[in-house]
Structures are given as structure tokens and as C-alpha cells.
Amino acid sequence: MSNLDGDVSQNGSLKKVDALRALAEIEEFDFSRSLDKPPRTLNMERQRSCDERSMNELFGVPSPSPRPSSRAENNFRLSDHLDGLYSPGRRSGFNSPRSQYWFETHPSVAEAWDALRRSLVFFRGQPVGTIAALDNNTEEQLNYDQVFVRDFVPSALAFLMNGEPEIVKNFILKTLRLQSWEKKIDRFHLGEGVMPASFKVLHDPVRNSETLMADFGESAIGRVAPVDSGFWWIFLLRAYTKSTGDTSLAEMPECQKGMRLILSLCLSEGFDTFPTLLCADGCCMIDRRMGVYGYPIEIQALFFMALRCALLLLKQDDEGKEFVERITKRLHALSFHMRSYYWIDLKQLNDIYRYKTEEYSHTAVNKFNVIPDSLPEWIFDFMPVHGGYFIGNVSPAKMDFRWFCLGNCIAILSSLATPEQSTAIMDLIESRWEELVGEMPLKVIYPAIESHEWRIVTGCDPKNTRWSYHNGGSWPVLLWLLTAACIKTGRPQIARRAIELAETRLAKDNWPEYYDGKLGRFIGKQARKFQTWSVAGYLVAKMLLEDPSHLGMVALEEDKQMKPPMRRSHSWTF
Ligand code: GLC
């Protein structure tokens, strides 16, 4: 098999690959290399910046604040005109000195680090990612033996927070390399900018060589391209830059081009009347048919986050400038649309309940012709007096009122949600604790769909039965997103409560992928054990709580220029 990979810096002439052909050549990946790597015990004490100090004051953490390193200062060119791109992370592993006086260390933390290091995947001697699950007890591997882009995000954050940025850099460069492959499903070519859902390292023991194999959706169940991968890639590039202060990676022409290619895919003009992105079912974390086709919140929030990160990372050269203008316009429209039409609280629910239909012209209040009878029964009880959230989907005559955890957390972190909306989301989580957290954080979607609706919406998917997997299952990976959102909104006690719950079981249960049941009491029917993002999600949550200054890596402050729309009651009645 030909050599499919090399250094980005070498030559631009990557060998094109017919991914389908390559698929047939999948061989078992040799993990021995990753297993015998000794865990690194870096003791890298790094520096803190002003915004971190104020965070610490908020959380009552004593602040040792040395000055940022001069290397970082010298490197800082890309965004020195932009607010706060660089705020270095610091060592905050389980044996961090600061944990002793601020955050009680739990034995699960050491176990988690071991599990995370065992999941490392090496390519030609370098760590390039983490395997989705290291469950040796399941016969059926499916694609859990691959490095998923979305799954690697919490791993990457854990390594960055622990002062180990190299693996993140390797991952960013390797996936960038994969982006330039020719991507084809049957006879159809995918857009140039599409990033893979996952990749794996193929080891040829005869030739003693290694090659990479990527999946852009052509072997995924349902054959859907991962719309989220490119957004997560941009998010990680910014997290890396923010945490290390090393702007040279983002400044590489290859990275700038990679970003532009991703952006071109989602900023292209078409027949759209909304600034949101139109997607197929299964194009994100929920990668099976679950009725999320249309304009799902997860993708819209990630899109918003990626656009904002790209604004910070794009160079202001001729090509970059053009994108900056397009991004700015889109952000403006997107935030208006999302804050106005996806937001629901008691008042808005009442307004929809009283909607008139068949309104024509721009004076319409019920712009999308949503029929009040389509309001599901459960929402009337679910909606608290204080609180609100972004609903799952909005399109003509369709509002999906389900709660989606990832999208709402990303909305808070990216400041797609206004400060008031962010507070309201937290209020909702607190008042609907049993439903959204229960005995194991956190519900990926609430509520589950069942019976006839389940048959119609999922196509009778036996993996997505009610309160299981994507259909109302509880996913520990979501802990890091909740924790980050809690810290951003000044409510760390909510995260602490959720983490304590998870800690009672996660390690004992061998880090399942998900839990089943209304309260998340049962290990998921088909859940993998040693699911890496469950491990990493827990670690990141712990490190964020221990050292809230890490928040800067994953969150963006509100952009004052993006004015919130008029108050809800007005925006619907003009
Ligand atoms: C499942 C999840 C998906 C995840 C993959 C690997 O397919 O739905 O979000 O990326 O497993 O863990």
C-alpha cells in the first residue's frame, strides 16, 4: 500500500487515495506501541494572565500569577490586535500542587489518567490521537478502534491543561493532511474542506510501515459526512493557540488554508433564507437517525463557535480579509436568528401556544407557521418558571422542542447565548436536575421518543430505543461541557454536584460510553467500556474546576458588537 501520509511541510503533492479502496485494506492496528509508552509526568509550571486572575478571584483561588513567558510574547503576532487569544494554561494534573489546598483529589483521577494514556495512538513514533474505546471485551469493534475527531476534543483539552500540547499539534497537522485527500462516496466527490469523522493507523508488519486510513462518512453508518469535525478542528486550533501562546501553528499557510476550506463549505451562497446550516440526520455527535436533520442546535452552536474562533485565527492577508468580512456578517445574522427563534422560556412557550397560523407577509408573528397543536405534552410540565434553553431545531412548520445538552453548552461557551440566556439555561438545569442529570450526568437529549414516534423518527432503530444511547441516554463525556458552562456563568457548584455523582460510578463501571434509563441508572445496553471521551471528559471537568483559568481555552467572551436582539416579547410582535 502506498504511503498516504507525510509531513505537511514537505511537499504539497499528497498522493490521492480512493478511500473506498483503502477501506478494504483495513488491518488490525497494533496497540503495543501505545501501551508501552510510559506516562509522562510533566511538571511544567506555566504562567497565568490577567483574565485568569479575575477568574480565580471569582472562585476564591489564590493566584500565584507570574508573567507570561517571553517566548509566547515574542511569538504573539497573529492576534495581538484581537482580544485575549493567548492565556497560557498550566499544569493541573492529579498531582498538581494546587489540588492539595483547593480541590480534593479523587482516586478516579489517577485511574483516568492511566486509561487516557493507554488510549494513545501513535503514528510513526508520534502520538497523534486517542482511540475511541479500548474495550477489549467486546467482540464487535465497529469503528471504536479509530481516532474520532469529535472524541479527541476532550482528550486534547486534558493534554493541553496538563501542559502536553505536542499530541494536539500532531493531531491538528495529521487531520489537516487528511483533509486534502480526495473524498468520494460511490461516484460522488465530497467538498474539499470536509474533515474526517475518524482515522486509524494501519500497520504493515511485513514492510514495517504505517499508513493512515480516514473515514469521511463513506463507511459511516448512514453514509453521512461529519459536519461537526471541521468546526471542532478550528476550535482545537484556537484552544491550542490560546493555551500555548504558540501562534506559529495557526499561522502556517496550510492551517490558514485548512480553515478557509472549512469555512468555504459553510459560508457558500445558496437558496438559504436562514443563516443557519442545513444538515442531514446523523451529521454530528448524534450520528444516527434521530430526527435532527434540518437545522440542529448542535451544529448551529458549533458553527457559531468555529466562526468566532476563525475570526481570531485568520490572518488579515488578502485571502483572510475576505473571509473575515463574510464571517462577521454571518455571525451577526446567526446570533440574531438563534437568539430570537430557537430560544424558549415560559413566556415564549405561552406565545407559541397562542399562535395564529397561516400568516402571510413580513408582519407575521408566527414566521415559520408553527402549528400550536404540534407542541408536545411534556413541555408544559418541563418548562420551569425561571429558566429557558435553545430548542433542538427550527424550520418551516417545525420546532423540535427537545433539549440537546451539547448545543446548549456550546451556546454558552461561544457566547451565542446572551448572559441572560446563559443564566436561564443554568436555571433550567438546576430546576430540572432529575430529568437532565438524574443519577448520572448528562442526558444527551431530553426527553426520549417512544412508540410510534420512535418508529417514525428513528426508523425503528434498536440501538436508539427510549432512554438509551442517543435517545435520552446519559453521556459522561458531556460533563466537561457542563463544567465549562457552569464556570462561565459563575455557578461552579452545579458542576461540582454533577462530578460528584459521576465519581461514584464511572471508574467502578470502567468508564462506559453512556448510561440508560430515565435517571441514567444502568450501564448502556451496547455501551463500550473504557470509552476514551468518558475518561477525558471527566478529567477535563476536574481540571476546569480545580483551575478555572483553563476556561479561556474553551470559552469566548461576549462580543459587544453583536447586539442581542430586542427583548423576546418585542421581536415576535413587530
Ligand atoms: C458513537 C457516537 C459518536 C462517537 C462515536 C465514537 O457513534 O454516537 O458521537 O463519535 O461513537 O465514540
Side-chain angles (χ1 to χ4, degrees), residues 45 101 163 180 246 251 267 309 350:
E45 187 62 40
Y101 60 80
S180 62
D246 169 18
E251 280 177 343
L267 293 175
C309 290
N350 208 156

mmCIF file of all heavy atoms in Angstrom, residues 45 101 163 180 246 251 267 309 350:
data_model
loop_
_atom_site.group_PDB
_atom_site.id
_atom_site.type_symbol
_atom_site.label_atom_id
_atom_site.label_comp_id
_atom_site.label_asym_id
_atom_site.label_seq_id
_atom_site.Cartn_x
_atom_site.Cartn_y
_atom_site.Cartn_z
ATOM 1 N N GLU A 45 5.324 24.084 35.190
ATOM 2 C CA GLU A 45 4.606 25.169 35.848
ATOM 3 C C GLU A 45 4.586 26.327 34.879
ATOM 4 O O GLU A 45 5.625 26.858 34.517
ATOM 5 C CB GLU A 45 5.316 25.549 37.140
ATOM 6 C CG GLU A 45 4.570 26.539 37.989
ATOM 7 C CD GLU A 45 3.224 26.003 38.452
ATOM 8 O OE1 GLU A 45 3.124 24.814 38.800
ATOM 9 O OE2 GLU A 45 2.273 26.781 38.423
ATOM 10 N N TYR A 101 -4.680 22.145 48.214
ATOM 11 C CA TYR A 101 -5.367 23.087 49.075
ATOM 12 C C TYR A 101 -6.689 23.581 48.517
ATOM 13 O O TYR A 101 -7.419 24.277 49.170
ATOM 14 C CB TYR A 101 -4.467 24.267 49.462
ATOM 15 C CG TYR A 101 -3.934 25.102 48.324
ATOM 16 C CD1 TYR A 101 -4.707 26.073 47.718
ATOM 17 C CD2 TYR A 101 -2.636 24.914 47.894
ATOM 18 C CE1 TYR A 101 -4.207 26.841 46.694
ATOM 19 C CE2 TYR A 101 -2.127 25.684 46.864
ATOM 20 C CZ TYR A 101 -2.923 26.647 46.272
ATOM 21 O OH TYR A 101 -2.429 27.395 45.262
ATOM 22 N N GLY A 163 -0.336 20.609 30.252
ATOM 23 C CA GLY A 163 0.943 21.094 29.738
ATOM 24 C C GLY A 163 1.595 20.141 28.756
ATOM 25 O O GLY A 163 2.821 20.060 28.686
ATOM 26 N N SER A 180 -6.885 17.024 2.842
ATOM 27 C CA SER A 180 -6.545 17.254 1.437
ATOM 28 C C SER A 180 -6.692 15.987 0.584
ATOM 29 O O SER A 180 -6.418 16.016 -0.609
ATOM 30 C CB SER A 180 -5.120 17.802 1.328
ATOM 31 O OG SER A 180 -4.219 16.850 1.833
ATOM 32 N N ASP A 246 1.621 29.606 21.328
ATOM 33 C CA ASP A 246 2.353 29.332 20.091
ATOM 34 C C ASP A 246 1.426 29.619 18.910
ATOM 35 O O ASP A 246 0.558 28.816 18.567
ATOM 36 C CB ASP A 246 2.788 27.860 20.091
ATOM 37 C CG ASP A 246 3.315 27.421 18.741
ATOM 38 O OD1 ASP A 246 3.674 28.288 17.924
ATOM 39 O OD2 ASP A 246 3.364 26.191 18.499
ATOM 40 N N GLU A 251 -0.602 30.041 12.189
ATOM 41 C CA GLU A 251 -0.122 30.934 11.120
ATOM 42 C C GLU A 251 0.396 30.190 9.904
ATOM 43 O O GLU A 251 0.587 30.780 8.848
ATOM 44 C CB GLU A 251 0.985 31.828 11.676
ATOM 45 C CG GLU A 251 0.443 32.999 12.465
ATOM 46 C CD GLU A 251 1.542 33.847 13.069
ATOM 47 O OE1 GLU A 251 2.693 33.370 13.161
ATOM 48 O OE2 GLU A 251 1.255 34.977 13.449
ATOM 49 N N LEU A 267 -19.993 28.789 4.298
ATOM 50 C CA LEU A 267 -20.362 30.187 4.027
ATOM 51 C C LEU A 267 -20.800 30.380 2.577
ATOM 52 O O LEU A 267 -21.074 31.504 2.160
ATOM 53 C CB LEU A 267 -19.181 31.118 4.332
ATOM 54 C CG LEU A 267 -18.764 31.222 5.805
ATOM 55 C CD1 LEU A 267 -17.512 32.080 5.957
ATOM 56 C CD2 LEU A 267 -19.890 31.788 6.663
ATOM 57 N N CYS A 309 -13.944 31.504 16.522
ATOM 58 C CA CYS A 309 -12.538 31.101 16.670
ATOM 59 C C CYS A 309 -11.758 31.483 15.413
ATOM 60 O O CYS A 309 -10.626 31.979 15.491
ATOM 61 C CB CYS A 309 -12.428 29.595 16.907
ATOM 62 S SG CYS A 309 -13.042 29.082 18.506
ATOM 63 N N ASN A 350 -45.710 30.253 26.025
ATOM 64 C CA ASN A 350 -47.083 30.755 26.066
ATOM 65 C C ASN A 350 -47.447 31.471 24.768
ATOM 66 O O ASN A 350 -48.551 31.325 24.244
ATOM 67 C CB ASN A 350 -47.265 31.686 27.266
ATOM 68 C CG ASN A 350 -48.684 31.714 27.773
ATOM 69 O OD1 ASN A 350 -48.953 32.022 28.912
ATOM 70 N ND2 ASN A 350 -49.638 31.356 26.918
#
